[in-house]
Amino acid sequence: MQRASKSVLAFAVTLCSHFVFAPLAIADVLPPDVKAKAKGEVVWYDGSGGATTRARDEAIFKGFSAETGVTLRTDFSPDLTKFFAAMDSGAPIPWSFVEFATKSDFVRAREAGYLEKLDPSIVKVSDLGNGAYDDYGVDVMRYGIVFTYNTEKFSGEGAPKTVRDLYDLKKFPGKRCLFKYPQYGGVLESALIADGADRNKLYPLDLDRAFKKLDSIKSDVIWWSNGDDAIRLISSGECSMGIAWSGRVYSAVKNDKAPLAINWKDSLYAQAVYAVPKGAPNAAAGQALIAYNIGDLEGQKKLVRAITYATDIKALKLSDYGEGLGPWIVAGDNAADAIQEDADYYTKHISDVIDRFNRWVALN
């Protein structure tokens, strides 16, 4: 009996060693039939770059490549000019997935016939909240376009409280950092708010009034074209304040202890959109990448913890992302204090707005 017991014990230890120490298989995000359609390479049009792209790569895109074997290659551009120029030309395009940084850019592309319809056998839009998708794209990564200031320049009761303070050079001296593009940077909207415009009646934008107000700080503006540059300039104190994207500020504060703070009052918010361009060389893999973004719940949590841009996925709620993120996410009081950028306005007027903005910037 003693020998038998030792044998049984030895067998049990051997059995346990197999089960306890063997690596656990991670369940695939994509169904087998969708995964089978994802092959080759996807070149994707990246409208964000910087910290957002790094966070997205780490949280979601690496997992997609590992699961499917698809190679992802980014093509970064700070606006959609190159995309629309290529689509207008009718020449073959390299992209099979596109991130529109604004809803208005997406609508322009959709109305121009430049997008493929989402394949419902691949992309489960039913997993998204109402209004967070249409036949051609899905809304993703809701982000703040927020008033940001350097806490080594201003603090306590002496800190600025609203985007209006950008235009008060006497009380809050220093250079201002603004996006060198008239959309999703709050440049025109901040000028109107500072000039006393009703925040509930901002659109259509009164461009004459906006540029007149911008004239009052033009000589003190440092323009940025990349979100990382905005963070660097304000963190270093080269700019005492400015407008930046909320996730970029959060990432800098969290990872680099940057001396930055934000205020949602009269700031803006918007969301990006994922879609597949018409004539994409690998449309099936592009659609699968959109599906993966929706289905990878753990990846979405990781993304929000890194960059605070949340997507309206039914299975996720604010508490799923962890503690301490409430002040940084576009939701609740933050969304109420901020102003939603009017996508319809920019869809109809973006060409004229860009033209006038560029001419104004070029004037001494």
Side-chain angles (χ1 to χ4, degrees):
M1 286 293 292
Q2 188 176 12
R3 284 194 297 271
S5 296
K6 287 181 178 179
S7 298
V8 170
L9 179 61
F11 174 74
V13 169
T14 301
L15 198 62
C16 285
S17 69
H18 284 292
F19 285 99
V20 172
F21 295 104
L24 294 174
I26 299 175
D28 285 349
V29 170
L30 298 174
D33 60 326
V34 173
K35 183 177 174 180
K37 297 175 183 178
K39 301 174 182 177
E41 179 184 65
V42 167
V43 178
W44 66 283
Y45 196 106
D46 177 8
S48 293
T52 300
T53 294
R54 292 191 294 272
R56 182 168 34 197
D57 284 347
E58 187 63 33
I60 296 175
F61 281 13
K62 281 185 179 179
F64 174 78
S65 291
E67 181 171 318
T68 62
V70 172
T71 301
L72 296 178
R73 185 157 57 89
T74 180
D75 182 12
F76 168 68
S77 184
D79 60 60
L80 272 291
T81 302
K82 183 167 72 171
F83 173 82
F84 283 107
M87 299 304 290
D88 289 345
S89 74
I93 59 169
W95 313 295
S96 296
F97 174 94
V98 58
E99 176 206 10
F100 293 98
T102 72
K103 188 70 174 273
S104 64
D105 284 329
F106 162 74
V107 174
R108 286 173 60 208
R110 183 191 65 197
E111 293 184 353
Y114 291 162
L115 301 177
E116 296 279 359
K117 270 193 172 184
L118 297 179
D119 183 343
S121 71
I122 298 177
V123 182
K124 289 182 63 180
V125 293
S126 59
D127 289 344
L128 297 169
N130 293 333
Y133 62 90
D134 71 8
D135 288 343
Y136 292 88
V138 300
D139 294 354
V140 296
M141 298 194 304
R142 202 180 198 194
Y143 60 94
I145 304 161
V146 290
F147 173 58
T148 307
Y149 64 91
N150 185 303
T151 57
E152 293 176 347
K153 299 285 186 180
F154 311 108
S155 61
E157 290 302 313
K161 302 295 190 295
T162 168
V163 72
R164 299 170 189 266
D165 294 330
L166 269 172
Y167 295 81
D168 190 341
L169 293 167
K170 184 176 181 180
K171 185 175 181 181
F172 302 103
K175 296 293 185 181
R176 274 56 175 152
C177 279
L178 297 177
F179 188 25
K180 199 174 183 179
Y181 189 73
Q183 190 188 3
Y184 70 103
V187 179
L188 300 172
E189 288 88 348
S190 68
L192 290 170
I193 288 292
D195 199 51
D198 185 339
R199 55 171 277 154
N200 296 313
K201 299 177 181 178
L202 277 183
Y203 301 97
L205 298 178
D206 184 336
L207 297 181
D208 290 339
R209 185 177 180 183
F211 284 112
K212 184 177 180 180
K213 188 65 176 179
L214 281 164
D215 282 336
S216 69
I217 64 167
K218 188 175 184 180
S219 61
D220 291 281
V221 171
I222 296 177
W223 299 103
W224 57 267
S225 298
N226 180 292
D228 284 354
D229 288 339
I231 298 304
R232 175 181 58 80
L233 289 164
I234 305 175
S235 297
S236 69
E238 190 168 348
C239 290
S240 63
M241 61 179 66
I243 296 176
W245 296 316
S246 55
R248 305 296 182 95
V249 185
Y250 169 78
S251 178
V253 171
K254 175 189 174 187
N255 299 321
D256 304 320
K257 310 303 179 187
L260 300 174
I262 65 172
N263 197 305
W264 289 94
K265 183 63 177 175
D266 296 328
S267 292
L268 298 182
Y269 66 88
Q271 63 278 314
V273 182
Y274 288 161
V276 173
K278 196 78 170 179
N282 194 355
Q287 301 246 11
L289 181 53
I290 296 177
Y292 192 93
N293 272 274
I294 298 170
D296 185 11
L297 301 184
E298 292 306 313
Q300 285 290 338
K301 293 176 189 177
K302 187 175 181 181
L303 176 65
V304 173
R305 287 193 289 266
I307 204 71
T308 71
Y309 298 158
T311 295
D312 187 5
I313 297 172
K314 290 179 181 177
L316 294 175
K317 54 186 181 297
L318 187 60
S319 60
D320 290 328
Y321 303 120
E323 296 181 0
L325 292 180
W328 298 94
I329 295 178
V330 182
D333 291 341
N334 297 341
D337 285 341
I339 302 162
Q340 185 170 18
E341 186 179 82
D342 190 324
D344 290 339
Y345 170 80
Y346 281 108
T347 299
K348 296 172 183 175
H349 302 287
I350 188 62
S351 295
D352 291 338
V353 172
I354 290 173
D355 178 66
R356 179 156 182 185
F357 178 82
N358 288 340
R359 285 188 285 109
W360 176 82
V361 169
L363 290 173
N364 292 327

